[in-house]
Amino acid sequence: MNKRALGNTGMSVSPLIFGANVFGWTADKTRSFELLDRFTEAGFETIDTADMYSTWAPGNQGGESETIIGEWMKTRGNRDRIILITKVGLEMGPGQKGLSAAWIERAVENSLRRLQTDYIDLYLSHIFDGDVPLEETLAAYERLLNAGKIRSVGASNHSAEQLAHALKVAAENGLPRYEVLQPEYNLYDRDSYEGALRDLAIAEGLGVITYYSLASGFLTGKYRSTHDLQKSARGGGVKSYLNERGLKILAALDKVAANHAAAPAEVALAWLMAREGVTAPIASATSLDQLDSLIRSTQLLLSDEDMACLNQSSAM
């Protein structure tokens, strides 16, 4: 499998990253272990999670995903073969959010404990925090880097202006800079990344790992009417895609998929892997069949004609 350099982190990743937001939510511990086993047995190594996954699920407090991953790595004895991504910043509870040095230093220890490891490969600012000076946030990361508790830092949910400012502050103060960007990006949601943010990421040589790579499942083709929204717990997040443009995109995915005897989700991920300014998409699965399909996307090579068809269908 051809791995790709993750920006200037010194790490290389496979072209698909497993999104562990489903662990402890729509995938229980047993299923999560099965998925992680299949993913790594297929030659993949990178797992993306966050401290607050999955606070939104009834009865959860956050940390469920990290806990499951930690138990799996301990059971399998494979920590040294895994590239582990987690995040800090979104609310875990009262007073437990943001990017202050005090909270980062508490949050990383909590994540390390749940993950049952002494280091995190990539630690991301989950959000931009306008209430905390960037110098404070980056200095906190510098201390964690020097202590060996994290290997690299990056940012999620940052605009081009916010990211550019963060890079400038790092350079001017001799502080560690964000080497990886995690934006929302998929065949439907293109505007927020394409343009200034992508141009900046390319110019600065950042690694880019995309989230919502399948538009909350819409690009699997599973949801084609309001009736279909009842098919899973994620259905409610797909309703906004059910419009003329969304259905046009699904038609293009169907066309390209038929030409390759592939599934729409496989084509949607292959499109991302072929885009300039993308290192690897993040995608999640709750069944082995779904995961096998995601894995097949890494072997799918789209032609120029395929790419043009998909680009035209999703043009704004």
Side-chain angles (χ1 to χ4, degrees):
M1 185 182 302
N2 292 326
K3 295 191 177 184
R4 303 173 174 190
L6 186 59
N8 294 307
T9 64
M11 293 179 278
S12 294
V13 299
S14 299
L16 178 69
I17 295 171
F18 194 97
N21 59 312
V22 295
F23 295 167
W25 175 32
T26 50
D28 62 15
K29 178 180 174 180
T30 299
R31 175 56 56 83
S32 299
F33 275 36
E34 292 173 348
L35 292 165
L36 288 169
D37 285 342
R38 180 70 63 88
F39 185 70
T40 51
E41 286 165 2
F44 298 87
E45 74 296 303
T46 308
I47 304 166
D48 175 85
T49 187
D51 57 1
M52 53 81 65
Y53 293 168
S54 48
T55 55
W56 57 83
N60 283 2
Q61 296 180 328
E64 289 79 14
S65 175
E66 289 183 335
T67 298
I68 287 173
I69 294 168
E71 292 176 355
W72 172 76
M73 290 192 300
K74 182 178 181 181
T75 301
R76 303 299 187 258
N78 63 357
R79 174 65 186 96
D80 61 336
R81 300 191 297 277
I82 299 300
I83 293 178
L84 191 58
I85 304 168
T86 194
K87 314 178 194 73
V88 60
L90 287 181
E91 186 168 8
M92 289 282 287
Q96 301 178 65
K97 66 177 181 178
L99 298 176
S100 69
W103 173 238
I104 288 172
E105 288 160 4
R106 283 179 55 199
V108 74
E109 296 298 338
N110 292 337
S111 287
L112 290 168
R113 174 178 47 80
R114 288 188 292 261
L115 291 163
Q116 300 192 50
T117 184
D118 54 6
Y119 70 98
I120 292 162
D121 296 288
L122 175 61
Y123 203 40
L124 299 179
S125 295
H126 209 159
I127 53 165
F128 176 79
D129 186 349
D131 294 328
V132 177
L134 276 162
E135 292 87 347
E136 177 181 339
T137 298
L138 297 178
Y141 289 144
E142 182 176 46
R143 290 190 290 274
L144 297 180
L145 287 162
N146 290 338
K149 295 182 179 182
I150 61 176
R151 293 179 61 194
S152 191
V153 291
S156 183
N157 298 304
H158 279 54
S159 68
E161 294 77 14
Q162 291 164 347
L163 180 59
H165 183 53
L167 295 173
K168 180 181 179 183
V169 168
E172 291 178 346
N173 293 274
L175 293 168
R177 73 175 203 155
Y178 293 139
E179 295 290 359
V180 178
L181 172 67
Q182 186 180 108
E184 177 180 2
Y185 187 47
N186 57 61
L187 194 54
Y188 187 104
D189 299 299
R190 295 177 58 176
D191 278 4
S192 63
Y193 179 54
E194 292 182 8
L197 187 55
R198 182 173 66 176
D199 291 346
L200 178 62
I202 292 171
E204 293 290 339
L206 304 185
V208 177
I209 52 177
T210 62
Y211 76 89
Y212 282 172
S213 302
L214 292 173
S216 298
F218 175 71
L219 297 176
T220 66
K222 180 178 180 179
Y223 308 97
R224 295 175 186 263
S225 69
T226 53
H227 178 74
D228 292 336
L229 300 180
Q230 306 169 28
K231 289 182 177 180
S232 79
R234 302 183 72 180
V238 178
K239 188 175 182 180
S240 63
Y241 296 112
L242 287 173
N243 52 43
E244 183 179 353
R245 178 169 173 266
L247 296 176
K248 185 178 179 182
I249 291 171
L250 290 185
L253 285 171
D254 289 340
K255 179 181 178 181
V256 175
N259 291 338
H260 293 273
E266 296 164 23
V267 174
L269 290 174
W271 177 85
L272 275 172
M273 293 172 200
R275 297 292 286 171
E276 183 183 14
V278 173
T279 307
I282 301 165
S284 59
T286 55
S287 73
L288 295 178
D289 285 345
Q290 289 175 1
L291 179 56
D292 288 341
S293 178
L294 300 185
I295 289 170
R296 286 194 294 273
S297 70
T298 64
Q299 285 101 46
L300 180 57
L301 296 177
L302 300 180
S303 67
D304 291 344
E305 183 179 358
D306 294 331
M307 294 295 288
C309 175
L310 295 168
N311 289 338
Q312 290 165 11
S313 74
S314 60
M316 296 296 293

